[in-house]
Amino acid sequence: MIDLNNNELVSINGGTAQAPSSNALVNLGYAAGWHAGHAIGQTIKDVGSMVSTVGSWIFG
């Protein structure tokens, strides 16, 4: 496992959109995780909006 420096750990845990390292493997893993996390979050948000809309149609 690659040892991450303090800046890399803070950036990863803080969820910044910019890759935190000059190490290509760290950046690759970070980018994949960042995009997957945002895609999952957007999906959950969209499903919530859909349920809210359908609920208002059904229950008035």
Side-chain angles (χ1 to χ4, degrees):
M1 183 173 164
I2 297 172
D3 291 327
L4 300 177
N5 68 35
N6 191 43
N7 182 46
E8 292 167 345
L9 291 172
V10 169
S11 295
I12 290 170
N13 290 329
T16 60
Q18 185 174 16
S21 177
S22 60
N23 184 301
L25 290 176
V26 171
N27 289 344
L28 178 63
Y30 179 80
W34 189 85
H35 288 292
H38 278 63
I40 291 168
Q42 186 63 47
T43 300
I44 291 169
K45 181 180 176 186
D46 292 345
V47 168
S49 296
M50 180 187 70
V51 168
S52 176
T53 302
V54 170
S56 67
W57 290 344
I58 292 172
F59 300 111

